[in-house]
Amino acid sequence: MKATRVRLSRIICAIALILGAAGVPVPLQPGPVLSAEELKISLVAPLSGRWARQGQLKKMGAEMAIDEINSAGGIKALGGAKIVLREADAGDSVEKAVSAAQRVLSREKISAGIGSWLSSFTLGVTEVAERLQVPWFTLSYADTISERGFKYTFQSSPVSSLQAEQALDLILDLAKRNNQQIKKAALVGDNTAAIVFFFKPLREKLLKAKGIEIAVDEVWTPPLADATALVQKLRSAQPDIVFYGATNFPDSIQVLQKVKEFGLKVPFMGVGAWLVTPEYVQALGKELLDNIMSVTAAHPLKGQEELVDKFKKRTGEPFMTQDPLMTYYHVWLIKEAAERARSTDPKAIREAVTKLELTSGAAANALAPGRIRYDERGRRMWAAPIIVQWQGGEPFTIVPAELATRKPFWPAAK
């Protein structure tokens, strides 16, 4: 087939030369549609261990986008090439995540990668991708991910320090509008990279600048052995808000169950979408959850009802969250880059991403503000935190107000 196409191309060129020499005008033809059988995308995410639920959700979003693209004809500029997902389990440690990335990127030609959810994992995995020159797309929050001068790393979330600053302003404004004052705060969470970078500016300058005392400051290395002493400190200190960063479900549930057991009623501001999965309803009940908000990089917005319904019908999940929404976005973004690059070559796709500015289409419509572009560091421009609040057993977007799916309320007083 390939040899036939080459012979046909040579014949056409020869005819054109003869006609041109004879003075016969030859109309210009558009460039040929290049063909490729498939474009391979790697997803490196925790599919086992303490963070497996988030990895499973990420996979759901990627598979939904891939099915939509392939059923609509694949990548048009590549002759209808189909997208194929190659997944690798990041497990429960940085070492396992790096090993998974090395395996999947070395075994076959991967055009682009997505992952690895936890910032600590992503810091290691992106080193592999950078060395092998494969563009890598991540929702991980840690500032340092895009501060190393890497050319192949694209960070789609607002970084942790920005989230901390903006989330604090937003929560103070919400408290003020509900006639509440925040004078004392608690910092409670693990020492994974995103949480470290979120807590750092709060601890060092932001809270003090607002006149807020840090009443409790507790950080642990997962897994958490026992939450009893920690929650006792919260009960004694009586903070007005708890900034909460227990990134895995077992640790988080252990803390919140103790909060419920001790009857502590205080607003919790989480850091990430790990705090808004359906399992929390079963483990804690709706009443306690109404005390919980979380700052995330993405969450379904007003106008995305059709997308959410499609996801729910496909997966059986009761609602959609950041993790599947972000991988859905990343797959569509890679598709757009491949169309512009007219290639499955990772270097060409990376170059296309640096020039993209999308204001329409599935990728642009997935994230606020509906305009997609990456800066010279690989950070998504205009990325801003989303604040989500549990209401009646489901998490809803409450900030930004113009895209909110529910109005916010101040959680129950202690």
Side-chain angles (χ1 to χ4, degrees), residues 167-168 171-172 181-187 207 212-213 234 238-244 266-269 293 410 414:
L168 179 59
I171 200 67
L172 289 174
Q181 284 189 316
I182 297 179
K183 296 181 178 180
K184 293 193 296 183
L187 305 179
L207 290 172
I212 300 171
E213 173 194 351
L234 290 177
Q238 293 289 297
D240 299 305
I241 191 165
V242 177
F243 291 97
Y244 185 50
V266 58
F268 272 64
M269 171 58 77
M293 296 171 280
W410 191 252
K414 55 181 179 285

Side-chain angles (χ1 to χ4, degrees), residues 140-405:
S140 296
Y141 299 171
D143 294 48
T144 45
I145 289 170
S146 49
E147 289 179 345
R148 297 169 293 172
F150 284 8
K151 301 299 183 183
Y152 285 81
T153 296
F154 297 93
Q155 188 172 21
S156 299
S157 303
V159 297
S160 293
S161 59
L162 176 64
Q163 289 191 32
E165 183 174 358
Q166 294 191 3
L168 179 59
D169 287 340
L170 292 167
I171 200 67
L172 289 174
D173 180 64
L174 178 59
K176 183 179 179 180
R177 285 189 279 119
N178 285 271
N179 298 314
Q180 301 291 324
Q181 284 189 316
I182 297 179
K183 296 181 178 180
K184 293 193 296 183
L187 305 179
V188 173
D190 60 40
N191 63 355
T192 55
I195 306 305
V196 169
F197 279 95
F198 188 92
F199 281 180
K200 188 174 187 289
L202 289 173
R203 181 184 293 119
E204 294 181 355
K205 60 179 181 178
L206 296 179
L207 290 172
K208 184 178 181 181
K210 301 291 185 180
I212 300 171
E213 173 194 351
I214 298 177
V216 177
D217 191 347
E218 289 288 325
V219 176
W220 68 86
T221 299
L224 177 63
D226 187 355
T228 304
L230 188 156
V231 176
Q232 285 175 336
K233 289 183 180 180
L234 290 177
R235 185 171 63 173
S236 298
Q238 293 289 297
D240 299 305
I241 191 165
V242 177
F243 291 97
Y244 185 50
T247 58
N248 67 78
F249 185 73
D251 285 1
S252 182
I253 285 297
Q254 185 185 169
V255 173
L256 294 174
Q257 283 176 337
K258 286 295 180 182
V259 167
K260 184 177 182 179
E261 178 185 329
F262 291 171
L264 181 62
K265 291 187 177 181
V266 58
F268 272 64
M269 171 58 77
V271 187
W274 50 269
L275 193 48
V276 291
T277 59
E279 291 78 11
Y280 279 88
V281 181
Q282 302 165 0
L284 298 171
K286 297 178 181 180
E287 184 179 353
L288 176 61
L289 289 175
D290 279 348
N291 287 341
I292 294 175
M293 296 171 280
S294 194
V295 55
T296 70
H299 198 77
L301 310 169
K302 183 172 66 176
Q304 293 183 328
E305 293 80 9
E306 184 178 345
L307 174 65
V308 173
D309 285 345
K310 187 187 303 181
F311 175 78
K312 288 161 62 176
K313 289 176 183 176
R314 175 188 174 90
T315 64
E317 293 287 326
F319 45 79
M320 193 177 193
T321 63
Q322 166 194 274
D323 298 324
L325 183 57
M326 269 292 200
T327 44
Y328 177 86
Y329 157 76
H330 281 141
V331 170
W332 272 102
L333 181 71
I334 293 166
K335 188 263 187 189
E336 289 295 331
E339 295 280 12
R340 308 291 177 91
R342 301 172 65 84
S343 173
T344 62
D345 180 67
K347 293 181 182 179
I349 290 176
R350 180 260 170 199
E351 185 65 21
V353 172
T354 64
K355 298 175 181 177
L356 280 178
E357 183 162 351
L358 303 176
T359 55
S360 62
N365 293 336
L367 304 180
R371 182 182 178 191
I372 305 299
R373 186 176 177 182
Y374 289 84
D375 67 16
E376 66 281 357
R377 292 180 294 181
R379 290 182 178 175
R380 181 169 67 92
M381 298 171 67
W382 312 294
I386 303 291
I387 293 187
V388 179
Q389 184 175 47
W390 281 99
Q391 295 186 14
E394 185 171 343
F396 294 94
T397 297
I398 60 170
V399 173
E402 67 274 14
L403 297 173
T405 53

Side-chain angles (χ1 to χ4, degrees), residues 2-51:
K2 182 176 179 180
T4 301
R5 286 199 301 268
V6 171
R7 286 196 295 272
L8 180 60
S9 177
R10 289 173 177 171
I11 291 170
I12 292 171
C13 289
I15 292 172
L17 287 171
I18 294 170
L19 291 174
V24 180
V26 182
L28 293 175
Q29 299 295 326
V33 175
L34 304 178
S35 63
E37 292 184 2
E38 58 189 22
L39 181 148
K40 296 174 184 175
I41 296 176
S42 169
L43 172 65
V44 178
L47 300 171
S48 64
R50 303 177 72 83
W51 294 279

Side-chain angles (χ1 to χ4, degrees), residues 70-125:
N70 289 346
S71 63
I75 301 172
K76 306 294 194 301
L78 297 177
K82 304 300 183 184
I83 297 179
V84 176
L85 188 66
R86 292 288 187 260
E87 63 193 65
D89 183 10
D92 58 2
S93 70
V94 174
E95 292 76 17
K96 290 178 183 178
V98 169
S99 178
Q102 289 173 332
R103 287 195 307 273
V104 74
L105 295 183
S106 299
R107 285 178 178 172
E108 52 189 319
K109 182 182 177 181
I110 300 294
S111 297
I114 302 170
S116 302
W117 192 74
L118 202 66
S119 289
S120 303
F121 294 179
T122 301
L123 284 164
V125 167

